[in-house]
Amino acid sequence: MPKPNTDADYPSVICTVDVVLLTLKGQSLHVVLLRRKSEPFMGLPALPGGFVHTQEDATAWDAATRVLREKTGIVSPYLEQLASYSGAERDPRGWSVSLVYYALVPLEALSLQTEGLLLAPVAKLPKLPFDHRRIVDEAVARVRSKSQYSSLPVYLCQDRITLPRLQAVYEAVLGEPINKVSFRRKMDEMGMLEPVEGELEGGAAHRPAQVYRLKKAYRKELSVVTRGLNS
Amino acid sequence: MPKPNTDADYPSVICTVDVVLLTLKGQSLHVVLLRRKSEPFMGLPALPGGFVHTQEDATAWDAATRVLREKTGIVSPYLEQLASYSGAERDPRGWSVSLVYYALVPLEALSLQTEGLLLAPVAKLPKLPFDHRRIVDEAVARVRSKSQYSSLPVYLCQDRITLPRLQAVYEAVLGEPINKVSFRRKMDEMGMLEPVEGELEGGAAHRPAQVYRLKKAYRKELSVVTRGLNS
DNA sequence: GGAATAGTGTCTCTAAGACAGTATCTA
DNA sequence: TAGATACTGTCTTAGAGACACTATTCC
């Protein structure tokens, strides 16, 4: 088994990836947790994660994608690096690095059948192992921050969406109301949505809303405005 | 020598820290590079970096601080995590993770005596080893982006500064002119500078400029405004 | 006094928010 | 037709940029 080639042969480092998988349930952000099946912290709910498999994973992004697929069945979410967390104290097994990614998925993409899969509201997290509490908090802060000036929250939605429902999603993520006119101006400016001609979401006792979908060019890309939603 | 405790005994991972040390020389950002003294890429200019020393370094931040001190003599700059770069291909020795930090220092803090220390303008980088080119580019992008709405560029200055000179620093970092009135309004809003009573920077054939310094509370903190410099 | 840059008052212009109007559905 | 929400036109307001004016130095 190869050993890393360090200049002074230092004890090597435990390298893992963890994924903060966020979704919207009701009006609040939730994070997906899994019960740990091994020590340390066996039985505690934790972020989906695992060791980097240096033979299989060409990059950490590949590793995060693999972990997500293996542990939650999710295949191609919006997945982006959050940061890395490292140090001697965070894992009882030794000096460790966790390369952390965050992902956004619509609730419907989760098969809650999966063994041991939990959904915890980010505002009220259970006791988490390692530094997972801090990691979730920072992921949520990142998502809130990026949502101010980008289309990030659309990845919490399925492909067909109306503007009133999308606004509610933004408001849930940001935790505050948004001006309707400004919101619509911004969405228009970002230009990532296109109306589905003739398709309206009716069924309620009022004017039905136009149904939109992401333009093809934006299916996996973020759209950004310079001045934000100013909320 | 311990070996990491991986679930399937995967070959372990090379873990290093690298620092993108930026400074302002003339009117442009420069990055500090060091000639590599060992393989791979011996002789090429590269980012200051080194292996994480799991016995000495409690955290990656500690490792970055140590690397900076050992390789450049810099002691307490503004130092923040940029991102991590990892994968099978980036280092010929094997699957590697580099935990990358960026730091800003005034040019005067650099002792350019240091053996093999080079200053390269970020707009015209020499050939760099590994993925250091990409890393520098992303660090510069981060610094530009944060400079839009924060006091980050003050860490490129010494402790006494005038507003006209600070504006020139911002303009050098951002690469575009800034409106003088708006700039002063923003600096005032951030409230991190205090005039040094009675101290003026004269010596030229015009009205002298008021000298300012960072308020104590901001000596190591960033100041942020919500709406940016809008430049 | 002239030249030069520091510093400030104020107008303009852009973009966000407020408000109220019209549109279109169900019951 | 009443009630509800979708959508839009337009006024108000806040903040960034433009411009010009005053201030203060050296020569």
Side-chain angles (χ1 to χ4, degrees):
Chain A
M1 192 64 18
K3 204 158 63 63
N5 187 10
T6 68
D7 49 2
D9 239 356
Y10 291 95
S12 50
V13 153
I14 298 163
C15 186
T16 61
V17 294
D18 290 295
V19 180
V20 182
L21 179 57
L22 297 169
T23 193
L24 201 59
K25 186 185 179 186
Q27 282 297 298
S28 57
L29 273 179
H30 285 60
V31 60
V32 171
L33 302 172
L34 288 165
R35 291 212 174 276
R36 286 182 61 80
K37 290 181 176 145
S38 55
E39 293 295 345
F41 304 112
M42 186 153 70
L44 270 191
L47 295 175
F51 292 102
V52 168
H53 293 181
T54 50
Q55 307 295 336
E56 299 169 53
D57 306 324
T59 66
W61 194 89
D62 291 342
T65 304
R66 176 180 54 75
V67 161
L68 255 191
R69 178 172 27 83
E70 290 175 359
K71 304 224 166 174
T72 70
I74 300 284
V75 171
S76 68
Y78 178 83
L79 183 71
E80 184 171 286
Q81 193 179 94
L82 174 64
S84 59
Y85 297 81
S86 56
E89 302 299 333
R90 56 183 297 283
D91 187 319
R93 292 167 293 186
W95 215 101
S96 65
V97 178
S98 175
L99 306 172
V100 180
Y101 286 75
Y102 67 96
L104 304 185
V105 290
L107 183 61
E108 296 79 8
L110 291 171
S111 64
L112 293 169
Q113 282 39 298
T114 309
E115 178 65 39
L117 192 151
L118 303 169
L119 218 45
V122 298
K124 197 174 177 179
L125 295 171
K127 180 173 169 50
L128 297 179
F130 309 105
D131 46 2
H132 286 189
R133 171 63 184 268
R134 178 185 165 200
I135 292 173
V136 173
D137 286 345
E138 292 185 12
V140 170
R142 173 78 65 88
V143 168
R144 293 223 160 102
S145 160
K146 285 198 96 155
S147 298
Q148 298 273 0
Y149 58 89
S150 80
S151 59
L152 193 52
V154 304
Y155 299 106
L156 294 167
C157 302
Q158 294 184 288
D159 59 338
R160 301 290 167 108
I161 187 76
T162 64
L163 288 178
R165 300 210 306 109
L166 184 56
Q167 180 171 349
V169 170
Y170 268 83
E171 288 173 339
V173 171
L174 295 171
E176 54 189 3
I178 302 176
N179 179 280
K180 182 171 60 168
V181 179
S182 302
F183 177 76
R184 283 161 177 265
R185 271 195 293 243
K186 284 301 176 188
M187 288 303 127
D188 187 42
E189 237 177 86
M190 288 195 220
M192 80 214 150
L193 293 177
E194 59 185 4
V196 182
E197 290 306 336
E199 210 168 313
L200 303 177
E201 184 180 272
H206 54 77
R207 177 173 172 178
Q210 174 65 51
V211 172
Y212 291 82
R213 68 173 162 225
L214 267 184
K215 286 185 190 163
K216 202 154 193 180
Y218 295 95
R219 294 284 155 82
K220 277 295 150 195
E221 293 296 327
L222 266 190
S223 185
V224 168
V225 286
T226 43
R227 255 172 255 286
L229 292 160
N230 264 47
S231 46
Chain B
M1 192 70 13
K3 206 157 63 64
N5 188 9
T6 67
D7 49 1
D9 238 357
Y10 291 95
S12 51
V13 154
I14 298 163
C15 186
T16 62
V17 294
D18 290 295
V19 180
V20 181
L21 179 57
L22 296 170
T23 193
L24 201 60
K25 187 183 178 188
Q27 283 296 298
S28 58
L29 273 179
H30 284 61
V31 60
V32 172
L33 302 172
L34 288 165
R35 289 211 175 278
R36 286 183 60 82
K37 290 181 177 148
S38 55
E39 294 295 346
F41 304 112
M42 185 155 69
L44 270 192
L47 295 175
F51 292 102
V52 167
H53 292 181
T54 49
Q55 306 294 336
E56 299 168 53
D57 307 323
T59 66
W61 194 89
D62 292 342
T65 305
R66 175 181 55 74
V67 161
L68 255 192
R69 178 169 29 80
E70 289 175 357
K71 304 224 166 175
T72 70
I74 301 284
V75 171
S76 69
Y78 177 84
L79 183 72
E80 184 172 286
Q81 192 179 95
L82 173 64
S84 59
Y85 297 82
S86 56
E89 302 298 333
R90 54 182 300 281
D91 187 319
R93 292 166 293 187
W95 215 101
S96 65
V97 179
S98 176
L99 307 171
V100 179
Y101 286 75
Y102 67 97
L104 304 185
V105 291
L107 183 61
E108 297 78 8
L110 291 171
S111 65
L112 292 170
Q113 283 37 298
T114 309
E115 179 66 37
L117 191 150
L118 303 169
L119 264 184
V122 299
K124 197 175 176 178
L125 295 172
K127 180 174 169 50
L128 297 178
F130 310 105
D131 46 3
H132 286 190
R133 172 63 185 267
R134 178 186 164 198
I135 292 173
V136 173
D137 287 345
E138 292 187 12
V140 169
R142 172 79 64 89
V143 168
R144 293 225 161 101
S145 160
K146 286 197 96 155
S147 298
Q148 299 274 359
Y149 57 90
S150 80
S151 59
L152 193 54
V154 305
Y155 299 105
L156 293 166
C157 302
Q158 293 185 287
D159 59 337
R160 301 292 168 107
I161 186 77
T162 64
L163 287 179
R165 300 209 305 109
L166 184 56
Q167 181 172 348
V169 169
Y170 269 83
E171 289 173 338
V173 170
L174 295 172
E176 53 188 4
I178 301 176
N179 179 279
K180 182 171 62 166
V181 178
S182 302
F183 177 76
R184 283 160 177 265
R185 271 195 294 242
K186 284 300 176 189
M187 288 302 127
D188 187 42
E189 236 178 86
M190 288 195 220
M192 80 212 149
L193 294 176
E194 59 186 3
V196 182
E197 290 305 334
E199 211 169 308
L200 302 177
E201 184 181 270
H206 55 78
R207 176 171 174 179
Q210 174 66 52
V211 172
Y212 290 82
R213 69 173 162 227
L214 268 184
K215 286 184 190 165
K216 201 154 193 178
Y218 295 95
R219 294 286 153 83
K220 277 295 149 195
E221 294 297 326
L222 268 192
S223 185
V224 168
V225 286
T226 42
R227 253 171 257 284
L229 291 161
N230 264 48
S231 47

